[in-house]
């Protein structure tokens, strides 16, 4: 099937230019002066006295420089002198417009100063500084361009979610994921820890959750055969490992928001403790991806005792102020037939099962408030009435986010059509299997989180934006990387950069430098942005117009119309062209004489106005 999507449309942004440094997300203000500062082994990183956080950031910076120039850079105290050849990290900063996360980065010919109100700002200054360094240095010095950068984020919630329920990833990989987040100044790791298909967090009081609920009989779902293999899959994080990950995130100024799903997506817990369901079970761990009808029974007091015990342990493990309680996709089938649920509806004077779900979430909210935690939930928690202090994650489009903001509740925007990184990022025939959908790099980049439907007063409730990596079809850490990068770079710019400074042409240029960094880091990122979109239009009157485009900067596209493989000697695409007889168009992107994309294929039969992708 050919996807008739014109990825070149809606180009509201101005053309490239004036983005001289390859920084992602692009800062609020950048000026350059054409000179250089040379970092050598005599350069000293100087920090304010008695500040362990700055010391840690300085050590990270020294580590980066050591791997680049192969000699140690000393760390000293900032004594206020105007000595040359220093990289100063300081909180002695006179303007207060930078907030908690902003920073200033000045590279002079004689030294560097990164200043901020808080260490978090210095940390983000370091992330920008790293992007000014060359990917590799062949000598004991590195020159970086002189610049003045003033920067702070647009949104407070800059999130990335990872579903470890459908598939388990190692502690080491979670740390890498956090590193990628930090690189892009993302500050909220939403850790989807429980699912129908796996319970992944050790709960001391309920050991069967992980003894039983963390393991299932099959791993890989084969869509064509509609079946799962027989390789058992499972795993969970011990509480010590959770603490290790939370500390690792904290060092990178990332808040971890754990998600404990309720009332739906809870079958793994019910396999372990069937008495918490409406029917009493027994249940088996599911191996197919479908929404499960067996969910927690809110007619049963034991359910609340259990969840409160679980949340007590969870609240103690995660220092952040917010716990995600799920709330999505909870079928009401069992509640409708359950005498206990129906008795609860009656006793509480509830109208229906939606209000029963709302009762459930409100009870959990009240409990968590006693632990000083607020809840966030998927937008279904609006149905039957929002809990008074709940924040909403809008995933079924943006309507839930709009409704919640109008009710003055905090919102994180994560609409599936812009922010679900389990979707395909190119033509499916050129991609590893994904859940469906289509979410190109350009589409992620184009997202505007503040809906026009909101007044300025309501818009302040849009706290930010997040992308979600659901893992039904992501059965390796390498594939998480593939699905996450480079789209997380586009997310970062949506979340950080002022809307007026977003620039798709400039972003594509800057991504070329990012790809080189990914290569140096050994990341299995997607190169789908290089793949050619072959769009067929005007397929009438026995002719068709073919337009070729990519999501990459200045692509050199070579193509054929006779179904042979495109090579560097095939014609170069310059402008849309016509075909008047049946043809198979094949094209690919080349850089420096080498093919960097897969081959795109479209069959066109202009006589019948029929055209098909591979
Ligand atoms: C969701 O995608 N079910 C939140
Ligand atoms: Zn029930």
């Amino acid at each position: 099937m050919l996807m008739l999507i014109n990825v070149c449309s809606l180009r509201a942004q101005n053309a490239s230019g004036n983005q001289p440094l390859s920084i992602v997300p692009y800062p609020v203000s950048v000026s350059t002066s054409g000179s250089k500062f040379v970092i050598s082994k005599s350069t000293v990183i100087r920090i304010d006295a008695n500040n362990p956080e700055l010391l840690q950031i300085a050590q990270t910076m020294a580590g980066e420089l050591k791997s680049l120039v192969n000699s140690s850079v000393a760390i000293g105290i900032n004594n206020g002198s105007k000595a040359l050849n220093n990289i100063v990290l300081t909180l002695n900063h006179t303007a207060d417009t930078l907030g908690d996360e902003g920073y200033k980065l000045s590279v002079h010919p004689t030294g560097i100063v990164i200043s901020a109100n808080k260490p978090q700002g210095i940390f983000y200054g370091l992330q920008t500084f790293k992007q000014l360094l060359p990917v590799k240095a062949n000598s004991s010095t590195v020159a970086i361009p002189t610049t003045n950068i003033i920067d702070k984020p647009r949104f407070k919630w800059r999130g990335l979610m990872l579903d470890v329920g459908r598939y388990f990833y190692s502690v080491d990989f979670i740390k890498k994921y956090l590193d990628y987040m930090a690189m892009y100044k993302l500050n909220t790791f939403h850790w989807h820890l429980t699912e129908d298909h796996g319970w992944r967090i050790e709960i001391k009081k309920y050991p069967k959750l992980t003894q039983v609920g963390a393991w299932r009989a099959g791993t890989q779902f084969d869509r064509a055969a509609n079946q799962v293999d027989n390789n058992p899959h499972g795993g969970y994080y011990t509480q010590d490992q959770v603490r290790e990950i939370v500390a690792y995130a904290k060092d990178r100024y990332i808040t971890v928001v754990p998600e404990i799903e309720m009332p739906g997506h809870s079958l793994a817990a019910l396999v372990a403790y069937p008495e918490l369901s409406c029917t009493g079970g027994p249940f088996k761990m599911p191996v197919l991806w479908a929404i499960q009808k067996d969910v927690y029974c809110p007619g049963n007091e034991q359910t609340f005792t259990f969840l409160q015990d679980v949340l007590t342990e969870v609240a103690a493990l995660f220092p952040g102020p917010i716990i995600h309680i799920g709330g999505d996709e909870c079928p009401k089938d069992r509640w409708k037939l359950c005498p206990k649920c129906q008795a609860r509806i009656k006793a509480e004077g509830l109208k229906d099962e939606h209000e029963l779900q709302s009762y459930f979430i409100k009870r959990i909210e009240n409990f968590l408030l006693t632990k000083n935690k607020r809840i966030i939930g998927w937008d279904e928690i609006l149905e039957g009435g929002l809990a008074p202090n709940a924040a909403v994650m809008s995933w079924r489009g943006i309507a839930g986010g709009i409704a919640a903001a109008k009710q003055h509740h905090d919102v994180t925007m994560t609409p599936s059509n812009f922010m679900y990184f389990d979707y395909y990022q190119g033509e499916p025939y050129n991609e590893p299997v994904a859940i469906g959908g289509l979410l190109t790099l350009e589409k992620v980049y184009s997202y505007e989180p503040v809906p026009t439907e909101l007044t300025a007063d309501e818009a302040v409730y849009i706290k930010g934006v997040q992308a979600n990596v659901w893992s039904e079809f992501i059965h390796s850490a390498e594939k998480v990387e593939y699905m996450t990068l480079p789209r997380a770079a586009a997310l970062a710019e949506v979340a950080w950069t002022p809307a007026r400074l977003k620039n798709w042409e400039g972003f594509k240029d800057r991504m070329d430098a990012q790809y080189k960094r990914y290569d140096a880091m050994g990341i299995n990122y997607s190169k789908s942005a290089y793949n050619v979109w072959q769009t067929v239009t005007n397929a009438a009157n026995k002719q068709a117009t073919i337009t070729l485009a990519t999501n990459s900067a200045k692509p050199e596209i070579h193509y054929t119309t006779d179904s042979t493989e495109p090579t560097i000697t095939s014609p170069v695409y310059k402008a849309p062209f016509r075909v008047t007889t049946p043809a198979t168009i094949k094209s690919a992107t080349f850089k420096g004489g080498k093919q960097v994309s897969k081959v795109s294929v479209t069959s066109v039969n202009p006589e019948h106005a029929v055209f098909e992708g591979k």
Side-chain angles (χ1 to χ4, degrees), residues 278 297-299 335 338 341:
C278 290
C297 174
W335 295 358
C338 171
C341 285

Coordinates of all heavy atoms in Angstrom, one line a residue, residues 278 297-299 335 338 341, ligand 2:
C278 N -13.3 -9.5 40.1 CA -14.8 -9.7 40.3 C -15.2 -11.2 40.4 O -16.0 -11.6 41.1 CB -15.6 -9.0 39.2 SG -15.5 -7.2 39.3
C297 N -11.6 -5.4 41.3 CA -13.0 -5.3 41.7 C -13.1 -4.2 42.7 O -12.6 -4.3 43.9 CB -13.5 -6.6 42.3 SG -15.1 -6.4 43.0
P298 N -13.8 -3.0 42.4 CA -13.9 -2.0 43.4 C -15.0 -2.2 44.4 O -15.2 -1.4 45.3 CB -14.2 -0.7 42.5 CG -14.8 -1.3 41.2 CD -14.3 -2.7 41.0
G299 N -15.8 -3.3 44.2 CA -16.8 -3.7 45.2 C -16.1 -4.3 46.4 O -16.8 -4.5 47.4
W335 N -17.7 -5.5 36.0 CA -18.4 -4.7 37.0 C -19.9 -4.8 36.9 O -20.6 -4.8 37.8 CB -17.9 -3.2 37.0 CG -16.5 -3.0 37.3 CD1 -15.5 -4.0 37.7 CD2 -15.8 -1.8 37.3 NE1 -14.3 -3.4 37.9 CE2 -14.4 -2.1 37.6 CE3 -16.1 -0.5 37.0 CZ2 -13.4 -1.1 37.7 CZ3 -15.1 0.5 37.1 CH2 -13.8 0.2 37.4
C338 N -21.1 -8.0 38.4 CA -20.5 -8.3 39.8 C -21.4 -7.8 40.9 O -21.6 -6.6 41.0 CB -19.1 -7.7 39.9 SG -18.4 -7.9 41.5
C341 N -19.7 -5.1 43.0 CA -19.6 -3.8 42.3 C -20.9 -3.1 42.3 O -21.0 -1.9 42.5 CB -19.0 -4.0 40.9 SG -17.3 -4.3 40.9
Ligands
LIG2 ZN1 -16.6 -6.5 41.2

